[in-house]
């Protein structure tokens, strides 16, 4: 599993976030919340091995992440960055298929099946014959989501640990596709045993779909636990500097809804 203990992470030698301890558990969806500049993307980039940890422990399968080759990391974790960019005039299916690059053992027939499945999961099958650069921003985001799904679904040996790290994947999506993306991720966590970390700005989307929440503010962790436990008026004031009421969700009594009141 991917574990961080007392992790300090930052950029260009400047610490952004200190004292983070977490374990990405198979079958669970961990949501990361915080205001702009709280260190959410820096944390994800560190967990993904794209930034070195400044101090603390960061391990994958009980091995220091810094000692793992990128190819080995790519076989057990997929990353969807906040603003994926691709300027090449590639067909959509070719873009989605790049997710299988860490798995040379995947046959052409298996790859086609993976691409088809990922496009269905991303609600993007109707885009399969298009060119990537001709798509809208939201459509490109769904294709990138399909690409990372291809990566985490490509290796399915029994008991394999696979982590999915998503940085604001709903940012450019309409409400329907925000809902569908998180529904898909939650279902895959349950059915496929994926360990998922997702950065979100929408507190109520996080409350609806995440099993655990990590709240960040002031360079540290404000709260970490189930949504009902961490979504409190005091925590919302600490994280966002705004008063809030936390009420029972009008449709799903198992969940809470946060209403900011300024």
């Amino acid at each position: 599993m991917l574990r961080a203990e007392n992790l300090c992470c930052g950029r260009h030698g400047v610490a952004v976030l200190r004292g983070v301890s977490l374990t990405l558990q198979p079958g669970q969806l961990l949501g990361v919340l915080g205001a702009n500049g709280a260190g959410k993307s820096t944390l994800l980039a560190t967990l993904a091995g794209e930034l070195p940890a400044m101090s603390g422990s960061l391990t994958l399968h009980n091995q220091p992440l810094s000692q793992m080759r990128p190819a080995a990391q790519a076989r057990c974790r997929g990353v969807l960055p906040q603003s994926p960019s691709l300027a090449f005039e590639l067909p959509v299916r070719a873009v989605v298929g790049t997710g299988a690059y860490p798995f040379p053992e995947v046959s052409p027939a298996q790859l086609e099946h993976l691409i088809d499945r990922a496009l269905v999961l991303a609600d993007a099958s109707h885009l399969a014959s298009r060119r990537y650069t001709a798509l809208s921003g939201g459509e490109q985001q769904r294709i990138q989501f399909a690409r990372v799904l291809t990566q985490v679904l490509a290796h399915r040996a029994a008991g394999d640990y696979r982590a999915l790290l998503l940085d604001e994947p709903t940012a450019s999506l309409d409400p329907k596709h925000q809902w569908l993306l998180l529904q898909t991720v939650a279902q895959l966590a349950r059915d496929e045993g994926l360990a998922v970390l997702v950065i979100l700005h929408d507190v109520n989307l996080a409350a609806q779909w995440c099993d655990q929440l990590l709240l960040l503010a002031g360079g540290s962790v404000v709260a970490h636990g189930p949504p009902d436990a961490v979504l409190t008026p005091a925590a919302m004031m600490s994280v966002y500097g705004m008063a809030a009421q936390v009420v029972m969700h009008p449709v799903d009594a198992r969940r809470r809804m946060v209403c900011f009141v300024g």
Side-chain angles (χ1 to χ4, degrees):
M1 287 188 284
L2 184 61
R3 289 190 175 94
E5 294 183 10
N6 199 28
L7 188 69
C8 176
C9 48
R11 297 176 186 268
H12 311 296
V14 178
V16 173
L17 200 56
R18 296 178 176 85
V20 178
S21 296
L22 60 85
T23 299
L24 290 189
Q25 299 278 1
Q28 282 197 353
L29 186 58
L30 171 65
V32 180
L33 297 172
N36 292 336
K40 302 182 299 297
S41 294
T42 300
L43 173 61
L44 185 144
T46 305
L47 295 175
E50 296 169 2
L51 289 175
M54 299 183 71
S55 64
S57 171
L58 180 59
T59 60
L60 180 59
H61 301 319
N62 296 316
Q63 179 180 351
L65 190 68
S66 60
Q67 296 179 11
M68 293 185 67
R69 300 169 71 95
Q73 294 184 39
R75 289 182 66 89
C76 53
R77 67 102 181 95
V79 181
L80 181 61
Q82 183 175 348
S83 301
S85 60
L86 177 63
F88 297 108
E89 192 71 24
L90 291 175
V92 159
R93 292 186 67 87
V95 175
V96 177
T98 61
Y101 279 1
F103 304 94
E105 69 272 21
V106 172
S107 71
Q110 289 171 327
L111 177 59
E112 291 305 308
H113 174 74
L114 281 168
I115 292 171
D116 288 339
R117 185 184 179 197
L119 286 169
V120 169
L121 290 170
D123 191 34
S125 295
H126 63 291
L127 303 174
S129 62
R130 303 275 299 278
R131 309 291 288 188
Y132 179 81
T133 53
L135 303 178
S136 70
E139 289 171 336
Q140 290 184 356
Q141 183 74 350
R142 283 150 59 194
I143 296 307
Q144 292 290 347
F145 179 51
R147 173 190 59 78
V148 78
L149 289 180
T150 298
Q151 182 179 351
V152 295
L153 295 175
H155 194 188
R156 300 188 59 190
D160 276 1
Y161 177 82
R162 293 161 296 162
L164 181 59
L165 310 178
L166 307 172
D167 192 349
E168 297 188 35
T170 63
S172 60
L173 301 182
D174 57 54
K176 172 186 175 181
H177 287 99
Q178 291 179 15
W179 182 272
L180 287 175
L181 184 146
L182 290 171
Q183 182 185 55
T184 296
V185 169
Q187 190 71 43
L188 287 173
R190 289 192 297 269
D191 295 348
E192 299 279 348
L194 297 184
V196 183
L197 181 146
V198 56
I199 293 174
L200 294 168
H201 272 301
D202 191 317
V203 175
N204 288 311
L205 276 178
Q208 180 70 27
W209 292 108
C210 295
D211 303 298
Q212 298 274 314
L213 294 177
L214 183 73
L215 308 187
L216 305 178
S220 63
V221 176
V222 172
H224 183 193
D228 287 357
V230 304
L231 293 178
T232 65
M236 295 300 94
M237 178 59 75
S238 295
V239 172
Y240 298 108
M242 294 182 67
Q245 293 184 1
V246 181
V247 300
M248 185 178 295
H249 195 283
V251 176
D252 186 352
R254 299 169 301 172
R255 301 289 183 178
R256 298 295 180 263
M257 187 168 69
V258 177
C259 303
F260 289 101
V261 294

